[in-house]
Amino acid sequence: MKKAFITGITGQDGSYLAELLVGKGYEVHGLVRRTSSMVRERIDPIMADPAARAAIKLHYGDLGEGTNLVRLLQEIQPDEIYNLAAQSHVRVSFDEPEFTADVTGTGTQRLLEAIRITGLIGKARFYQASSSEMFGLVQAVPQVETTPFWPRSPYACAKLYSHWITINYRESYGLHGSSGILFNHESPRRGETFVTRKITRAVGRIKHGLQKQLVLGNLDSKRDWGYAKEYVEMMWLMLQQETPDDYVVATGETHSVKEFVVEAFTMAGLNWEEHVQYDASFERPAEVELLIGDSAKAAKQLGWVPKVKFKELVRIMVESDLELAERDKHMAALA
């Protein structure tokens, strides 16, 4: 039985990856931050299944404490390590740049050094969650693995450090380390402060009379949006290759925030113009206007192509949030 260690297991990607690996017969170990209020709504439903509960083991810790990472890796001896933990909200990174740098950037350094110290280089394979935000002020359209980076936020700068330090450990110490340069990937498990989920959550609540308005920032930004549940398959595929490498993971389509809004409201039979308001405070100090990836390398070398495209992704999220809002309305009526 293979063993995997996932940082960020309680997040969107971590929960989907845990499900995938359990389905493949892995023993899965996840790193969970100890906080006053435990946020585990993504992973707890998965562990409600007895088989999954037996296969998934959670450990307290975070990327800010290298000593604990060394202890855990020494104890677990994983075959695969997936680094998905981060302060991942771009707008928040402008408000908390030092924290973002420490967790999203230096945290990767601590994990890589823990792998080296415990002698797992040559034994374990490592996946780094890189980001399309690293392209920032894009230098070519579409973006591929060789497109120059131009990060436009503290988050993107921290991700760029993590990306390059993974390459450095690969070249310096022989680490089997691969990076997935994932473009925006969404799902019903996306955090509610991220724009896509903020939109679909509002659509559900407005439809059921629980909310009247949705306040957004820049509607003109364009993104390449894919389905997170599919994207974690690529993470696993990268670590099954004999030679580590870096891959763009994207749909090859770009759509504006406004297009997402229109599609989501239309699916629920609502007129978006009656409910959406603009607020400049949601704008970023430096905006990324256009992201669109070309995952031809992944298709050629790994045989991976995305199946869920824009409209299907919006439908999946809207239907889920309509159901959630209906449950919220029912609970409110009982209160």
Side-chain angles (χ1 to χ4, degrees):
M1 178 184 289
K2 279 189 174 182
K3 288 190 283 188
F5 180 65
I6 304 173
T7 70
I9 194 171
T10 58
Q12 170 188 250
D13 294 5
S15 63
Y16 278 124
L17 179 62
E19 275 186 306
L20 176 73
L21 296 180
V22 167
K24 293 182 180 295
Y26 280 64
E27 178 180 297
V28 176
H29 295 259
L31 191 66
V32 179
R33 285 187 299 156
R34 184 75 176 98
T35 59
S36 59
S37 178
M38 297 303 292
V39 182
R40 288 174 24 174
E41 70 269 14
R42 299 182 184 92
I43 197 71
D44 283 343
I46 299 169
M47 295 181 68
D49 176 77
R53 187 166 61 250
I56 299 174
K57 305 177 189 305
L58 302 179
H59 307 267
Y60 287 125
D62 59 52
L63 294 183
E65 189 180 358
T67 303
N68 191 41
L69 292 173
V70 170
R71 180 186 64 80
L72 285 173
L73 292 183
Q74 188 70 55
E75 175 187 312
I76 297 166
Q77 291 290 305
D79 300 287
E80 297 172 3
I81 299 166
Y82 297 86
N83 185 32
L84 310 184
Q87 189 302 99
S88 59
H89 198 288
V90 176
R91 182 63 189 84
V92 170
S93 77
F94 285 100
D95 300 324
E96 296 189 306
E98 291 182 40
F99 176 72
T100 301
D102 185 55
V103 174
T104 307
T106 313
T108 302
Q109 173 75 78
R110 293 189 189 99
L111 182 55
L112 288 170
E113 191 63 4
I115 293 170
R116 189 185 68 83
I117 290 171
T118 53
L120 286 174
I121 288 181
K123 299 177 183 177
R125 297 183 175 188
F126 178 78
Y127 171 83
Q128 168 57 29
S130 292
S131 169
S132 61
E133 288 286 333
M134 301 187 307
F135 292 118
L137 187 64
V138 298
Q139 303 300 294
V141 177
Q143 293 88 55
V144 297
E145 291 80 5
T146 55
T147 300
F149 299 118
W150 194 310
R152 298 265 284 174
S153 68
Y155 167 77
C157 291
K159 278 293 187 181
L160 189 56
Y161 178 83
S162 289
H163 181 79
W164 279 111
I165 200 65
T166 299
I167 292 173
N168 182 257
Y169 271 68
R170 186 167 72 204
E171 295 178 348
S172 300
Y173 303 115
L175 172 75
H176 191 295
S178 296
S179 292
I181 307 174
L182 271 61
F183 280 64
N184 293 66
H185 46 293
E186 319 297 321
S187 76
R189 297 183 190 175
R190 188 59 140 154
E192 293 182 17
T193 59
F194 290 84
V195 68
T196 52
R197 185 73 197 292
K198 185 178 179 181
I199 293 166
T200 59
R201 187 78 170 100
V203 165
R205 290 179 60 80
I206 290 169
K207 183 70 174 179
H208 287 282
L210 300 172
Q211 183 175 329
K212 292 183 178 180
Q213 299 295 322
L214 167 63
V215 182
L216 297 172
N218 186 2
L219 294 179
D220 296 323
S221 292
K222 294 183 176 181
R223 295 292 186 270
D224 185 326
W225 280 302
Y227 187 28
K229 188 173 183 179
E230 285 189 330
Y231 280 28
V232 300
E233 296 172 11
M234 258 296 281
M235 300 176 186
W236 177 79
L237 278 171
M238 289 182 209
L239 298 199
Q240 310 317 304
Q241 309 307 304
E242 286 305 311
T243 304
D245 208 341
D246 307 317
Y247 298 89
V248 162
V249 183
T251 68
E253 295 182 3
T254 189
H255 298 272
S256 68
V257 174
K258 183 178 178 179
E259 285 179 80
F260 198 106
V261 167
V262 173
E263 189 70 24
F265 274 82
T266 301
M267 283 184 176
L270 298 169
N271 181 354
W272 73 275
E273 292 179 296
E274 295 177 0
H275 302 284
V276 177
Q277 296 180 347
Y278 169 78
D279 187 335
S281 68
F282 288 105
E283 297 270 6
R284 303 173 184 175
E287 185 59 78
V288 175
E289 298 293 347
L290 169 66
L291 291 174
I292 178 171
D294 181 351
S295 55
K297 179 178 175 181
K300 181 179 180 181
Q301 295 184 203
L302 307 179
W304 182 90
V305 291
K307 301 178 183 67
V308 175
K309 296 298 184 73
F310 179 70
K311 287 192 175 185
E312 176 67 5
L313 173 64
V314 178
R315 184 192 63 77
I316 290 170
M317 295 180 68
V318 167
E319 288 183 354
S320 175
D321 277 326
L322 283 170
E323 291 179 8
L324 178 58
E326 186 175 12
R327 291 197 299 271
D328 289 346
K329 184 177 182 179
H330 178 69
M331 293 301 293
L334 294 176

